[in-house]
C-alpha cells in the first residue's frame, strides 16, 4: 500500500497568516491526491481533489499544489473558522490517508 | 443536495458481526459510475478506508481487512451496507459512509466528496 506522511503533525498560527501543510507519498501518485478539513466532532469535508482543484463552495484562500510524491495545502490569510485537523488522501491506488495535521490559533 | 447518514448498533461484543447502514439522498447508486465508500476513524486518530461499492454492484475492499468485510447496497431504497465479522476492540471507531467524488473514474480509486455525520461503534465485553 502507499504510505502518506503528513507534516507537521500540529502547528500554531496567527489570524491572517499563511499556513502550509505538506504530504509526502511513498511512491508517485500522479496527482491523485485530495485534502480534507475536519473540525472537532464533525466529519471530514473535501477541500481539494486532483491535487489542485478546489471543491465546490470551498473558499479561495485554500489551494493545493505538488506533483510526484510531494504535495502541499496552503491556507492564505488564516481565519478563525480554519481551526481544524487536515488530512491528505491518495487515490492512485486503494485509498490511504495521511496521519493528519492539527491547526490551532496562536 | 447530497446527504448521507450512517446507523449502527452503538455497542457490540468481541467476536460479533458489526452491521452498518448508510441511507443517502441527492444521488442514486443506479447512476453509471456512482459509488459509495466506508471509512472509519478511531477516536483521536487517522482515517482508514474500508470498502467501496459501485453502481453495477462491483466491490472494492481494503486488502488488509478484505476477509472480514462485506459491502452491499439496496438501490431502490438509497442505502448501502457494511458488515464486519469477528470484531474486536481494535474495531472501535466512528464509521463514515461517503459518496465518491467523480463518476468519470469508473472502477478506479476515488476521493470522497460528501460524507455522513458518522456513527460511533464501541466493541467491548
Amino acid at each position: 500500500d502507499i504510505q502518506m506522511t503528513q507534516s507537521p503533525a500540529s502547528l500554531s498560527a496567527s489570524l491572517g497568516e499563511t499556513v502550509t501543510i505538506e504530504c509526502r507519498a511513498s511512491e508517485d501518485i500522479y496527482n491523485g491526491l485530495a485534502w480534507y478539513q475536519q473540525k472537532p466532532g464533525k466529519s471530514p469535508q473535501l477541500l481539494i481533489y486532483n491535487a489542485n482543484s478546489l471543491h465546490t463552495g470551498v473558499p479561495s484562500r485554500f489551494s493545493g499544489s505538488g506533483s510526484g510524491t510531494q504535495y502541499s495545502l496552503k491556507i492564505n490569510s488564516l481565519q478563525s473558522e480554519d481551526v481544524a485537523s487536515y488530512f491528505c488522501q491518495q487515490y492512485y491506488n486503494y485509498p490511504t490517508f495521511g496521519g493528519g495535521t492539527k491547526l490551532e490559533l496562536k | 443536495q447530497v446527504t448521507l447518514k450512517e446507523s449502527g448498533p452503538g455497542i457490540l461484543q468481541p467476536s460479533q458481526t458489526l452491521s452498518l447502514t448508510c441511507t443517502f439522498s441527492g444521488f442514486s447508486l443506479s447512476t453509471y459510475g456512482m459509488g459509495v465508500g466506508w471509512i472509519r476513524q478511531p477516536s483521536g486518530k487517522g482515517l482508514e478506508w474500508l470498502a467501496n461499492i459501485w453502481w453495477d454492484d462491483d466491490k472494492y475492499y481494503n486488502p488488509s481487512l478484505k476477509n472480514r468485510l462485506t459491502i452491499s447496497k439496496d438501490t431502490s431504497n438509497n442505502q448501502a451496507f457494511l458488515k464486519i465479522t469477528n470484531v474486536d476492540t481494535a474495531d472501535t471507531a466512528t464509521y463514515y459512509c461517503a459518496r465518491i467524488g467523480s463518476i468519470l473514474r469508473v472502477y478506479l480509486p476515488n476521493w470522497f466528496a460528501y460524507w455522513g455525520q458518522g456513527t460511533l461503534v464501541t466493541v467491548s465485553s
Side-chain angles (χ1 to χ4, degrees):
Chain A
D1 55 342
I2 298 176
Q3 307 296 325
M4 304 300 292
T5 303
Q6 256 183 266
S7 61
S10 64
L11 78 156
S12 181
S14 302
L15 292 174
E17 196 173 325
T18 294
V19 169
T20 300
I21 298 169
E22 308 282 343
C23 194
R24 186 181 80 250
S26 58
E27 60 184 84
D28 196 328
I29 56 172
Y30 300 93
N31 282 15
L33 186 98
W35 290 97
Y36 301 89
Q37 176 192 68
Q38 185 177 32
K39 297 184 178 181
K42 301 295 185 181
S43 58
Q45 300 295 307
L46 178 68
L47 297 172
I48 302 283
Y49 62 97
N50 289 346
N52 56 23
S53 296
L54 202 65
H55 182 53
T56 305
V58 175
S60 58
R61 64 179 180 275
F62 292 91
S63 63
S65 64
S67 62
T69 62
Q70 301 276 1
Y71 298 85
S72 61
L73 172 71
K74 187 164 76 170
I75 310 172
N76 287 316
S77 188
L78 187 69
Q79 306 294 303
S80 57
E81 60 264 33
D82 300 335
V83 169
S85 291
Y86 293 84
F87 294 91
C88 62
Q89 177 224 328
Q90 67 78 22
Y91 48 90
Y92 175 69
N93 200 339
Y94 78 85
T96 52
F97 293 84
T101 296
K102 188 174 183 179
L103 174 59
E104 298 175 325
L105 282 179
K106 192 179 292 183
Chain B
Q1 180 188 5
V2 174
T3 65
L4 304 98
K5 186 172 183 180
E6 307 86 348
S7 59
I11 298 176
L12 69 167
Q13 295 184 335
S15 81
Q16 289 185 320
T17 295
L18 169 60
S19 295
L20 298 166
T21 299
C22 174
T23 303
F24 54 85
S25 64
F27 67 97
S28 174
L29 257 179
S30 62
T31 300
Y32 178 88
M34 189 57 70
V36 167
W38 286 93
I39 304 102
R40 70 181 179 181
Q41 184 177 36
S43 179
K45 297 188 178 180
L47 297 155
E48 180 180 36
W49 170 75
L50 300 174
N52 280 8
I53 190 164
W54 301 99
W55 86 103
D56 62 351
D57 210 38
D58 198 16
K59 295 143 187 170
Y60 189 36
Y61 293 104
N62 185 319
S64 66
L65 292 162
K66 183 175 182 177
N67 61 347
R68 298 175 55 212
L69 302 177
T70 303
I71 192 170
S72 60
K73 65 181 175 65
D74 179 349
T75 302
S76 59
N77 286 309
N78 286 341
Q79 291 181 314
F81 310 97
L82 184 71
K83 290 187 187 295
I84 306 179
T85 60
N86 194 26
V87 298
D88 69 9
T89 55
D91 296 308
T92 294
T94 295
Y95 286 75
Y96 298 101
C97 63
R99 200 208 81 174
I100 63 160
S102 174
I103 63 173
L104 300 180
R105 292 179 58 86
V106 179
Y107 300 129
L108 294 176
N110 217 307
W111 65 93
F112 298 100
Y114 302 95
W115 295 61
Q117 64 189 25
T119 185
L120 177 61
V121 174
T122 302
V123 180
S124 174
S125 55

